Amino acid sequence: MTHDGTPDPYADPLVFGQRFQLLRTRKGMTRQQVGGLLGRSASWVKAVETGRLKTPKLDVILRIAELLRVRDLSELTGDQSLHISLFSGPGHRRLAAVQDAANAFPVATTHHEAPPIEHLRARLARAWQARHSAPNHREVVGALLPDLIRDAQLAVRQADRAPERRTAQSALAEVYSLSQFFIAYQPDAALLWRVAERGMVAAQESEDPHAIGVAAWLAAQAHRDSGPAQFDAADAVNLATLRYLEPLLADASDDVRAIAGALTFEAGYTAARRGETGTAWRYWDQARAMADRLAADYYHPVTSFSRAIMGAHAVTVAVELHAGGEAVRQAVAADTLTIPSRPRRARHRIEEARGYHLDGQPDVALTTLDKAHEAAPETIKYNGYAKRIVLEEAESKSPARRQRASQLAQKLGLMAA
């Protein structure tokens, strides 16, 4: 039993339908909502939950797992042999060191002198560059983060004057932002939320509009990725920050204008997750107009917001709206090669693969996932959407497709070699 008296779907030998119902209600979703997003009726959902219909096939189970953000298939199926993490990857070998640094009491006495802010900023710039250029970006960033976290915290504690302290808080907020990229989709959701909240506090203390925008952008994503029950919270953070930034944009730097554009697209992303087609594309249009006002070669170092990214964002909107044909059309129009960040390029390839899969082109989807793996293996390894496609096609009736999917599954650690 849980603390509120409801059965725990992980502790008791419940059947699939009961687990489905409990996980759905915990996400705050109605049968009509779930059925609509699955292309089924509310009565179909009820029939599965009550056992009047048998357990669906694997492809449907995987779609349900994706929709409910189930992190391990065994949570939904009850089969403890299916320890397949969908929306979290295996704990990275650098995670423990990052956890230790982030969890350390930040006012502990130390005799070390904090590095100059200029030095911290230079290290952060190198870390962001490494994240965008390295195929094993989690490995590289994970090695840099522990010292960055400790030194940035130390810089805040040792700042004597208010201007110095605000500058140090801005650097600390950026370190926490970088940390969230490393921690995301790893098996420590509590740490992700602690770091996100600390980043918001540091950004507010810095009074730096860019730092505030980046922290809000990441917080909105964390809320949205928690499931439909948190979509309103994502919008609240997103839209409040846009209202704060709007009066500043006329005289703002490119970075501030870019983070406003990134937040505008995020509002569209959340609308697409809700299935609100008109609202999603309206925000995308607004974001595109904001991107067009940036220099052609500008690329935001954190969010990747730029002219080049808008084609990729269009694919994402179409995919989240479950419009396979439109997603493919946008994928053909988008120029993947103009995205300089390897993990962002891999993420775009995964979104393209989702579009092809929705459009009934599984072979093209697998080819596109191979390209994602080539761009950044540590991106696709932690992506639940990519893993769902691979696992589904590993059960394909086509021997050739089944073999291709199985080979990719081995690369992702989903199947033994």
Side-chain angles (χ1 to χ4, degrees):
M1 287 292 208
T2 59
H3 69 279
D4 61 0
T6 60
D8 186 341
Y10 315 135
D12 301 321
L14 304 181
V15 298
F16 176 86
Q18 292 172 305
R19 290 173 179 271
F20 183 12
Q21 182 175 8
L22 287 167
L23 292 166
R24 173 183 62 77
T25 55
R26 286 185 178 184
K27 289 294 184 184
M29 300 181 73
T30 66
R31 285 171 174 158
Q32 185 175 9
Q33 288 173 321
V34 171
L37 291 170
L38 291 172
R40 306 296 179 98
S41 64
S43 60
W44 179 88
V45 175
K46 181 178 180 179
V48 173
E49 290 180 346
T50 58
R52 287 195 294 109
L53 287 178
K54 63 181 181 180
T55 300
K57 293 182 179 180
L58 179 62
D59 62 327
V60 179
I61 292 174
L62 289 167
R63 288 172 63 197
I64 293 170
E66 175 187 320
L67 179 62
L68 299 180
R69 305 296 288 184
V70 172
R71 294 187 177 274
D72 195 295
L73 281 183
S74 63
E75 297 175 9
L76 183 59
T77 64
D79 184 350
Q80 297 304 308
S81 67
L82 293 176
H83 290 295
I84 300 172
S85 295
L86 285 173
F87 288 91
S88 64
H92 196 279
R93 74 185 192 96
R94 300 282 185 183
L95 179 59
V98 174
Q99 287 170 323
D100 289 344
N103 289 332
F105 193 49
V107 294
T109 303
T110 180
H111 301 292
H112 298 292
E113 185 176 350
I117 289 296
E118 295 77 9
H119 185 256
L120 264 178
R121 288 288 186 194
R123 287 163 60 192
L124 269 168
R126 288 195 296 271
W128 283 117
Q129 183 179 18
R131 182 189 178 271
H132 290 303
S133 61
N136 59 333
H137 51 92
R138 286 183 185 268
E139 173 66 24
V140 175
V141 171
L144 297 173
L145 275 174
D147 286 340
L148 276 171
I149 292 170
R150 285 188 283 264
D151 287 346
Q153 290 176 341
L154 195 60
V156 170
R157 293 201 302 273
Q158 293 183 2
D160 294 327
R161 297 182 302 160
E164 294 173 351
R165 189 173 184 83
R166 286 195 294 270
T167 301
Q169 290 280 20
S170 178
L172 179 59
E174 188 173 343
V175 170
Y176 284 139
S177 296
L178 181 64
S179 301
Q180 289 176 70
F181 280 94
F182 174 80
I183 299 167
Y185 306 116
Q186 295 205 56
D188 194 342
L191 178 64
L192 178 66
W193 277 107
R194 282 199 302 279
V195 170
E197 289 167 355
R198 290 180 188 177
M200 287 287 286
V201 171
Q204 290 168 347
E205 291 291 328
S206 76
E207 300 180 12
D208 176 356
H210 181 253
I212 291 170
V214 170
W217 181 78
L218 286 162
Q221 291 193 353
H223 280 297
R224 187 180 61 237
D225 285 349
S226 296
Q230 296 299 317
F231 285 176
D232 287 346
D235 276 339
V237 172
N238 214 336
L239 300 179
T241 309
L242 279 171
R243 287 193 294 271
Y244 159 74
L245 291 174
E246 187 174 1
L248 309 176
L249 296 181
D251 301 316
S253 66
D254 282 350
D255 284 350
V256 173
R257 290 189 291 130
I259 194 60
L263 285 163
T264 301
F265 169 71
E266 288 302 314
Y269 193 161
T270 304
R273 289 283 294 273
R274 282 195 176 100
E276 298 172 351
T277 302
T279 302
W281 286 114
R282 175 170 58 83
Y283 277 121
W284 180 86
D285 281 334
Q286 292 175 6
R288 181 183 59 180
M290 298 169 82
D292 286 344
R293 290 193 284 272
L294 297 168
D297 60 348
Y298 175 85
Y299 201 81
H300 190 262
V302 179
T303 68
S304 297
F305 189 78
S306 58
R307 293 188 192 182
I309 208 66
M310 292 312 300
H313 283 339
V315 175
T316 295
V317 169
V319 166
E320 293 297 347
L321 291 170
H322 301 279
E326 178 63 16
V328 169
R329 190 180 74 80
Q330 294 291 349
V332 171
D335 185 358
T336 307
L337 296 178
T338 63
I339 302 175
S341 168
R342 292 184 73 133
R344 188 60 186 85
R345 195 158 65 244
R347 162 74 187 282
H348 174 49
R349 289 296 193 190
I350 293 166
E351 297 293 275
E352 286 184 322
R354 292 176 68 194
Y356 285 117
H357 206 248
L358 278 170
D359 198 47
Q361 301 185 53
D363 290 310
V364 182
L366 289 174
T367 297
T368 309
L369 289 179
D370 273 322
K371 293 177 181 177
H373 188 270
E374 181 181 345
E378 287 192 343
T379 293
I380 188 172
K381 186 175 182 179
Y382 288 81
N383 189 281
Y385 300 114
K387 288 187 278 188
R388 181 182 74 82
I389 294 171
V390 170
L391 287 170
E392 183 174 330
E393 295 309 322
E395 298 285 326
S396 170
K397 293 180 180 179
S398 164
R401 188 183 307 146
R402 189 166 61 244
Q403 181 179 12
R404 289 184 63 198
S406 298
Q407 289 171 345
L408 188 51
Q410 291 171 13
K411 293 179 184 177
L412 301 184
L414 299 174
M415 293 184 179

